[in-house]
Amino acid sequence: MKPAVIAVVGSAMMDLTAYAQLLPEPGQTLAGQHFTTGFGGKGANQSVMAAHCGAEVHFIGKLGEDVFGASILDNFVKVGINTEYVERSETPTGVAHIWVDGNGENRIIIIPGANHEIGSAKAVDAINSIKDLSIVVAQCEIKQEVTLNAFKAAKARGCTTILNPAPYQEISAELFELCDWIIPNEIEFRELCGELPASDEILKSFRPGKNSVVTLGSQGAVYISADRQLLRVPAPKVTAVDTTGAGDAFVGAFAFSLASGSDPASAMTLGIKIASLSVTGKGAQSSYPDQAEIATLS
Ligand code: RIB
């Protein structure tokens, strides 16, 4: 296995999560059962998962000069993520307001805050200076031009790029072309492709000549290879208590595995196992298996 050196250009948020059996209708007030404050943000989640798997992770992002920013930074250090490329700002740290219902399904509103102040020049400098970098990962909670410039720099030095197009936003043709991998969920796939990934034909029509993985929740995931082969990896049956951050767990584990030299099928298998475990616990990063638990996964 080669060392997995990964840069994540992305978001970090503090997740403020309310758990309620039923979610309120407009104008209705309901009593929930539980509230948590936890580490989140799609970029941070993917970084933490990749680090738990054993990757050397460099997070490129921006946090507020506030209590949330300080504790997110402490958490990165605790997990072993390189924070040299994390900047601070007077703009508050990003927050996510999350509602989770009795089936473990969530609704999320993010307030990006400092995440929207990450600058292209900083991101490009970081990518150019990380030794032995092999994969650059991004999502859509920061400004798209930053991802575009980061991916240009990544491609210029021969790195693999992975875009998780979440939450969905229109992706420019230039950025789309620079993505070696795109990993959407079903809803993001529909936004990108115009149809749900309901048949092999639809799946094969997506990004000919390029690799993609579509995550399908409890159905697992499907790999669409550049030469139009499909590979479905089912998910183990589990009881979901909170699906928040499961897609990020998949992306982080997948990126680690690819960067370590595994083939896409093995990378997906690891990603699915870890994402399935994550939905059995509350929160995003708080539900991720640690290194010891990951080592027990065959
Ligand atoms: O993907 C889950 C994440 O989305 C949460 O942690 C929340 O912060 C939002 O970014």
Side-chain angles (χ1 to χ4, degrees):
M1 222 165 64
K2 57 178 184 157
V5 183
I6 295 172
V8 178
V9 190
S11 57
M13 313 259 176
M14 193 56 85
D15 287 353
L16 311 175
T17 307
Y19 294 85
Q21 204 55 36
L22 294 173
L23 300 182
E25 305 282 336
Q28 189 184 22
T29 302
L30 282 178
Q33 283 77 48
H34 198 65
F35 172 78
T36 60
T37 305
F39 299 115
K42 295 180 196 301
N45 295 346
Q46 293 170 16
S47 300
V48 166
M49 193 66 255
H52 282 197
C53 287
E56 176 186 313
V57 181
H58 302 259
F59 183 77
I60 303 167
K62 205 155 194 170
L63 300 168
E65 285 282 3
D66 48 24
V67 179
F68 286 165
S71 68
I72 289 172
L73 203 56
D74 281 353
N75 182 53
F76 280 155
V77 172
K78 205 154 64 185
V79 174
I81 291 170
N82 179 29
T83 57
E84 194 182 335
Y85 308 113
V86 179
E87 293 186 297
R88 306 293 289 274
S89 161
E90 282 179 8
T91 303
T93 298
V95 288
H97 282 241
I98 305 180
W99 288 358
V100 179
D101 69 19
N103 295 320
E105 296 292 346
N106 62 50
R107 289 166 190 222
I108 305 179
I109 295 179
I110 59 163
I111 312 293
N115 291 297
H116 271 193
E117 290 184 357
I118 302 169
S120 286
K122 270 279 171 196
V124 168
D125 278 356
I127 291 199
N128 286 336
S129 61
I130 298 166
K131 208 165 154 267
D132 300 325
L133 182 63
S134 67
I135 291 193
V136 178
V137 183
Q139 322 72 32
C140 294
E141 288 180 333
I142 64 169
K143 296 251 170 83
Q144 197 175 121
E145 69 183 54
V146 180
T147 303
L148 175 70
N149 287 308
F151 276 15
K152 277 185 188 164
K155 294 305 300 168
R157 60 173 292 189
C159 296
T160 297
T161 53
I162 299 178
L163 180 70
N164 172 222
Y168 173 76
Q169 57 175 240
E170 208 175 317
I171 312 281
S172 72
E174 195 182 5
L175 176 56
F176 214 59
E177 193 52 37
L178 286 169
C179 302
D180 294 312
W181 290 87
I182 285 201
I183 308 184
N185 68 15
E186 289 167 276
I187 304 302
E188 291 142 10
F189 180 92
R190 185 184 63 195
E191 301 286 354
L192 289 164
C193 186
E195 289 179 278
L196 281 169
S199 69
D200 288 4
E201 200 190 345
I202 296 170
L203 286 162
K204 286 182 184 177
S205 70
F206 187 58
R207 293 204 339 137
K210 298 268 198 186
N211 290 301
S212 308
V213 175
V214 185
T215 57
L216 304 167
S218 60
Q219 302 303 306
V222 56
Y223 166 42
I224 314 164
S225 71
D227 63 356
R228 306 296 84 186
Q229 303 298 309
L230 298 182
L231 175 74
R232 290 178 187 274
V233 176
K237 284 230 167 322
V238 292
T239 303
V241 300
D242 184 355
T243 57
T244 307
D248 301 328
F250 178 89
V251 173
F254 182 84
F256 155 77
S257 197
L258 267 196
S260 309
S262 298
D263 57 50
S266 311
M268 280 173 77
T269 304
L270 180 71
I272 290 291
K273 281 182 184 166
I274 287 181
S276 301
L277 267 179
S278 80
V279 305
T280 63
K282 284 194 166 81
Q285 293 171 37
S286 54
S287 69
Y288 291 175
D290 60 15
Q291 224 153 352
E293 205 174 352
I294 293 166
T296 67
L297 299 173
S298 53

